[in-house]
Amino acid sequence: MSPGSPNPPLRIGLLLDSLEVPAWIVTMMQEVVASGAATLELVVLNGSVAGAPGERHLGRFVRWWRDRAYILYNAYMRYERWRFRAEPDAFRRSDLAPLVADVPTITVHPQQTRFSDRLSDPDVARVREHDLDVLVRLGFRILRGSILAASRYGVWSFHHGAHDTYRGGPPGFWEVFEADHVTGAMLQVLTEDLDNGKVLAATYAATHPISVRLNRNNYYWKSLALLPRILRRFRDAGPEAVEVGALAANHPPRFYSRRLYTRPTNRAFVAPLARHIARRTRRTLVNRLWWDQWILLFDMRDDLSTSPWRFTPIIPPRDRFWADPHIVYRDGTYYVFIEEYLYAQRKGRIAVLEMDESGRHGSPRVALETPFHLSYPHLFTWEDQLYMVPESGDHGRIDVYRCQDFPFGWMHDTTLLRDHLAVDATLFEGHDRWWLFTNIQERPGASPSEELFLFHAPSPLSQKWQPHPMNPVVSDARSSRPAGRLFVRDGVVYRPSQDCSRGYGYGLRLNRIVTLTPNEYREEEVTRIEPRWHRRITGVHSLAHEGRLTMIDAKRRRSRLSGQGR
């Protein structure tokens, strides 16, 4: 799409049970309308949800009768609502009526079986009259029949679960109770095959280890972005481009060999609940007996060192941690820039540790401190001048500092992005432009560790960075967040990333960048580092290499009972 001749917005209709909907749906539709990617042309209301008073009483009795087998599950979910507070609450009941006040509305009464809804031919004909590009299912049950082909590009629907591992439901429940590390969500084009439609986009959030409610809240806020994201791509690049982007999710064929998940009956819930309580109890005991501290580890050899068990630790005092190493080599000395976080101040600053060729080093000294938190001191050189981009996500900006007196004199130079909660900004110089990789929290309630955004500009000091049309280019808690400087090896560009699926900074993944252009981005994982080489190491989330020095950080478990923290 050229800026002077944009494609028209898509004409969409909504399939709803009611205009009173969860807050995440209202937010999603507000973003769709604000984007200009689509216009709301029709609301289809399910008239079978609320019947006459007698029918409602009968319906409540039928639901009670059916739910007698799920008393344990229902009691547990009531406990979750009491125990865990989710803010902002994705499921707070909200009114969609103001947004669709001028949108034509039709009410239908689908033929119902126990699990599915089928619209009559006359009702489908009424829908077709509105010449829709897309129908978005945000209500009804499993849809069957000709309604699936009543719009140009079909009926789009969310499945809140990874389609290759969790089909059925309840959403976000079994991932917690089976201790899966990620909870997936996808936007798909519905077919008659349950949860096996054409996947348009998918995203993966870190599973909350304890709470189903908090797990759902996070990944519903996160996954709502899939709809406005794909509508924009349809409008800007056309359905063919979206087909290409979705190819990896739909080809080759994937078999689903797990059971179809359902709400657990009383008998089926006893064992999973017992295991869940045991995991929570163990987690509580471990946290009371131990605490985690980020430390540095290094190794000296002629090439990138790839065996963390060989590394030598550098352990900070108990009142702080050291993390996020970035290295500059000058005149036979390695200058390791790190985040130094002081627990008493609850704030990080940038410090420098100097190391010689044999690995001898002193204590870190402060290089940059501000009233707000700083971490991840990414360094780059441009026109023979050294710059630093420390993370200041809580400050809502990505700032660049210029080195005036190496290594301790730094002065603010420019601001690359404003009004974003952006973390771990990492710049890379390509053939004809600079690239900016950073994770951005799109909205309150979602994690900042799961969406990688890409921008480009002719200069690293530009204040007009162009967003990539595929943003976020990675939407996966296992590999999105940057973990150090990109590097080139044998002509291949590699991007280190964090694996936050088992908690922040659990592990590292090294990704080979396959395609990096203003219109396309693709990467493939080639290897990973996980904290398995020592029983006290529970995380690793940064990689730095310069000359003969390879350095990582690691989360080391220390005893609360020992004064020495052994």
Side-chain angles (χ1 to χ4, degrees):
M1 178 190 74
S2 64
S5 57
N7 294 327
L10 280 78
R11 298 170 55 85
I12 67 172
L14 306 181
L15 293 157
L16 297 166
D17 288 336
S18 168
L19 294 182
E20 185 180 341
V21 297
W24 71 270
I25 291 180
V26 173
T27 299
M28 178 177 67
M29 297 315 303
Q30 288 171 340
E31 291 187 10
V32 166
V33 171
S35 72
T39 58
L40 296 177
E41 301 293 336
L42 180 66
V43 171
V44 181
L45 283 177
N46 185 353
S48 298
V49 171
E55 292 174 337
R56 287 198 296 269
H57 292 314
L58 179 60
R60 281 198 293 268
F61 174 77
V62 170
R63 285 193 296 273
W64 173 83
W65 181 254
R66 288 177 177 173
D67 279 357
R68 74 192 190 283
Y70 305 101
I71 292 174
L72 190 58
Y73 167 83
N74 292 336
Y76 178 81
M77 296 309 296
R78 284 194 293 271
Y79 159 77
E80 282 250 354
R81 288 191 292 272
W82 167 79
R83 174 66 177 80
F84 299 104
R85 184 178 180 84
E87 289 292 344
D89 186 356
F91 303 99
R92 176 178 53 83
R93 303 305 293 179
S94 303
D95 189 6
L96 190 63
L99 196 63
V100 298
D102 299 323
V103 179
T105 300
I106 63 175
T107 301
V108 300
H109 293 82
Q111 297 173 325
Q112 295 184 319
T113 63
R114 183 173 180 183
F115 299 110
S116 64
D117 293 333
R118 182 185 297 268
L119 273 65
S120 68
D121 290 340
D123 283 338
V124 173
R126 293 165 65 197
V127 173
R128 289 183 184 275
E129 290 174 359
H130 292 267
D131 188 31
L132 300 175
D133 292 306
V134 176
L135 276 165
V136 182
R137 174 185 167 271
L138 298 169
F140 291 76
R141 299 179 301 162
I142 300 169
L143 287 175
R144 304 290 192 192
S146 56
I147 188 62
L148 298 177
S151 58
R152 191 166 289 106
Y153 301 117
V155 178
W156 295 5
S157 177
F158 284 92
H159 172 59
H160 288 96
H163 71 296
D164 54 348
T165 51
Y166 289 95
R167 295 188 187 177
F173 173 82
W174 286 108
E175 290 89 341
V176 174
F177 271 77
E178 294 190 348
D180 203 317
H181 302 303
V182 292
T183 300
M186 66 179 182
L187 183 67
Q188 62 177 338
V189 182
L190 290 182
T191 66
E192 294 280 354
D193 192 1
L194 178 63
D195 290 342
N196 196 31
K198 181 187 296 182
V199 177
L200 295 170
T203 185
Y204 297 89
T207 301
H208 195 283
I210 294 175
S211 168
V212 174
R213 179 184 177 125
L214 297 181
N215 189 48
R216 286 177 176 171
N217 201 67
N218 171 59
Y219 91 106
Y220 270 75
W221 280 127
K222 170 186 170 69
S223 63
L224 72 83
L226 295 179
L227 179 62
R229 196 177 295 165
I230 293 300
L231 287 172
R232 282 195 299 268
R233 292 181 191 170
F234 253 79
R235 178 201 61 186
D236 294 347
E240 296 80 10
V242 176
E243 288 276 354
V244 171
L247 187 61
N250 299 287
H251 181 80
R254 296 182 178 181
F255 287 92
Y256 180 75
S257 56
R258 303 178 71 169
R259 65 186 174 94
L260 184 65
Y261 285 87
T262 60
R263 182 173 48 156
T265 63
N266 298 328
R267 181 175 181 180
F269 193 33
V270 171
L273 181 60
R275 290 192 295 268
H276 182 64
I277 293 172
R279 283 193 299 268
R280 287 183 57 175
T281 302
R282 180 181 182 278
R283 185 183 181 90
T284 300
L285 290 174
V286 167
N287 289 338
R288 289 182 178 178
L289 294 174
W290 303 86
W291 62 288
D292 292 325
Q293 179 186 40
W294 286 97
I295 67 172
L296 304 173
L297 299 100
F298 74 94
D299 191 38
M300 290 282 192
R301 57 191 62 243
D302 292 334
D303 200 355
L304 177 69
S305 186
T306 58
S307 301
W309 58 270
R310 298 179 183 272
F311 284 37
T312 301
I314 304 175
I315 300 176
R318 290 175 63 91
D319 67 341
R320 65 195 64 194
F321 70 66
W322 294 333
D324 298 343
H326 289 71
I327 306 170
V328 172
Y329 180 71
R330 287 192 179 183
D331 302 322
T333 300
Y334 295 96
Y335 297 87
V336 183
F337 289 76
I338 61 171
E339 173 195 357
E340 180 174 58
Y341 185 93
L342 305 177
Y343 295 124
Q345 296 182 15
R346 303 180 68 180
K347 182 171 70 71
R349 61 193 184 188
I350 306 304
V352 179
L353 180 149
E354 298 180 29
M355 181 178 291
D356 65 19
E357 291 280 10
S358 65
R360 291 191 298 256
H361 60 85
S363 297
R365 292 186 288 166
V366 177
L368 179 62
E369 189 166 15
T370 64
F372 45 86
H373 173 80
L374 295 176
S375 61
Y376 195 82
H378 172 67
L379 300 158
F380 70 93
T381 301
W382 186 59
E383 296 184 345
D384 298 322
Q385 177 68 53
L386 182 65
Y387 296 88
M388 182 197 301
V389 187
E391 181 202 308
S392 55
D394 293 341
H395 195 48
R397 305 177 355 171
I398 298 180
D399 290 325
V400 178
Y401 292 81
R402 183 176 70 255
C403 185
Q404 292 186 311
D405 183 16
F406 185 81
F408 300 108
W410 297 87
M411 181 177 185
H412 182 266
D413 187 284
T414 189
T415 298
L416 305 185
L417 292 179
R418 300 176 185 272
D419 302 322
H420 288 289
L421 199 169
V423 298
D424 298 348
T426 305
L427 283 86
F428 175 71
E429 185 176 12
H431 296 299
D432 59 348
R433 70 195 68 222
W434 281 78
W435 299 93
L436 170 62
F437 296 78
T438 186
N439 268 53
I440 293 178
Q441 183 190 48
E442 292 186 275
R443 64 191 53 79
S447 168
S449 297
E450 299 174 355
E451 310 285 345
L452 176 66
F453 285 75
L454 181 59
F455 302 84
H456 60 88
S459 159
L461 303 183
S462 173
Q463 297 183 34
K464 296 181 179 179
W465 289 84
Q466 182 71 27
H468 198 281
M470 292 181 65
N471 275 339
V473 293
V474 180
S475 183
D476 194 331
R478 296 168 293 189
S479 60
S480 64
R481 188 164 178 164
R485 186 176 62 192
L486 281 73
F487 62 92
V488 180
R489 191 179 179 90
D490 298 327
V492 177
V493 181
Y494 293 94
R495 187 183 74 88
S497 66
Q498 297 184 41
D499 179 354
C500 296
S501 63
R502 306 187 193 191
Y504 169 69
Y506 165 74
L508 274 170
R509 299 196 178 199
L510 193 61
N511 310 285
R512 176 173 67 94
I513 295 182
V514 179
T515 306
L516 177 60
T517 73
N519 294 312
E520 295 183 58
Y521 181 83
R522 189 165 68 89
E523 66 182 30
E524 296 175 347
E525 179 187 327
V526 294
T527 189
R528 65 182 67 178
I529 306 173
E530 294 183 326
R532 297 173 181 260
W533 68 91
H534 192 283
R535 62 187 180 88
R536 293 282 181 87
I537 300 298
T538 62
V540 52
H541 78 350
S542 293
L543 171 67
H545 175 72
E546 188 73 28
R548 299 184 63 250
L549 175 62
T550 301
M551 183 168 282
I552 60 176
D553 56 10
K555 191 161 54 174
R556 179 175 179 261
R557 183 157 289 169
R558 302 183 68 166
S559 171
R560 297 184 186 275
L561 304 180
S562 170
Q564 301 301 315
R566 294 181 178 179

